[in-house]
Amino acid sequence: MRPISPKTTDQKNYVPLALTPFFFGVQQFSEGLVWTGIDNGRIEPLTSLSSLGFLFFAYCFWMIWIPWSAWSIARGSENTAVLHRFKWVAIVATVLGIAFYLPVLFNPPAVQPSVHSTGRLLYDISNLRSIWHNFVNTEPVGELVYWGFIVLPLVALKDKAVKLFGILIFVSIFLTWFTYSKTFNSVWCFYCAVLSIVVLWIVNRPRLNRQAS
């Protein structure tokens, strides 16, 4: 297979990646509802349901969506052996993402969103009794595993623009971790939502190139 060039990025392989900004919008809308519930005396079930919606994206959806989006792009640029590796990474990420979120879904009272002293939302799940979830959410090794399934599939692709997107996400992880580690989930997802603007450029390169020529 021939490598994908910027002139052919409008093909269907890029559709999952192209939908990424939309889903970030849905996630940020969910967190807006969390703010609404807390600001009005913790309205229920609005606060709990919207928190579960936000954490679905933070804990599960992105860990699944990004690897499969990378696999979809790889179908047009990688050989069969490499594509097979991308697929298995996506499958493993799917299993882990579901396993990561299910303890939250089945125990909503364990999720206690609140406003941290920094003015950011804190999703306190310290009461959640899940060995797997606590490992990923609190241990450096677990966090690196989670981040790896999101960043590495992007930077492993041949498309340099997608690589750049992955690198920017990697940078945002450590900027958030060093500045807002206590409210990491909320702040990092916001940064990534802003960074998803890069996706608009990635998928619109063919049209932009035609206009420039």
Side-chain angles (χ1 to χ4, degrees):
M1 295 182 182
R2 64 182 177 85
I4 289 182
S5 68
K7 293 184 178 180
T8 60
T9 54
D10 57 344
Q11 58 186 299
K12 62 181 181 180
N13 293 347
Y14 280 74
V15 170
L17 183 67
L19 291 172
T20 297
F22 167 77
F23 288 119
F24 268 121
V26 175
Q27 182 182 19
Q28 291 304 305
F29 178 77
S30 298
E31 186 160 60
L33 294 178
V34 177
W35 277 109
T36 299
I38 291 177
D39 287 345
N40 289 276
R42 195 180 176 87
I43 301 174
E44 293 294 355
L46 176 64
T47 306
S48 296
L49 291 178
S50 54
S51 296
L52 288 175
F54 175 84
L55 293 178
F56 165 72
F57 284 96
Y59 291 160
C60 179
F61 182 82
W62 295 121
M63 195 172 182
I64 297 173
W65 188 259
I66 296 300
W68 281 111
S69 296
W71 170 80
S72 179
I73 294 173
R75 288 186 299 170
S77 61
E78 304 290 349
N79 59 48
T80 303
V82 175
L83 184 61
H84 188 68
R85 296 190 190 101
F86 270 95
K87 186 175 183 179
W88 271 108
V89 168
I91 290 174
V92 173
T94 299
V95 173
L96 295 179
I98 293 173
F100 191 36
Y101 181 67
L102 285 181
V104 179
L105 179 63
F106 291 139
N107 191 8
V111 180
Q112 297 294 328
S114 60
V115 180
H116 191 260
S117 58
T118 60
R120 276 75 180 177
L121 276 180
L122 169 66
Y123 294 90
D124 185 3
I125 52 172
S126 57
N127 294 324
L128 190 65
R129 296 180 179 179
S130 168
I131 296 176
W132 159 245
H133 189 282
N134 290 335
F135 168 71
V136 175
N137 199 58
T138 61
E139 300 297 330
V141 175
E143 292 175 343
L144 288 173
V145 170
Y146 175 86
W147 298 335
F149 275 103
I150 293 178
V151 173
L152 294 180
L154 296 175
V155 299
L157 290 167
K158 291 181 179 179
D159 190 323
K160 293 182 179 180
V162 180
K163 282 181 181 289
L164 174 62
F165 182 49
I167 292 171
L168 290 174
I169 291 177
F170 177 78
V171 172
S172 72
I173 288 173
F174 284 94
L175 285 177
T176 308
W177 192 72
F178 282 119
T179 56
Y180 296 105
S181 59
K182 295 295 184 181
T183 57
F184 183 89
N185 290 327
S186 177
V187 176
W188 183 48
C189 287
F190 172 74
Y191 286 163
C192 287
V194 175
L195 288 176
S196 68
I197 296 174
V198 175
V199 174
L200 301 180
W201 165 63
I202 292 173
V203 299
N204 281 288
R205 282 175 295 169
R207 183 174 59 83
L208 295 173
N209 288 337
R210 287 195 298 268
Q211 291 178 348
S213 60

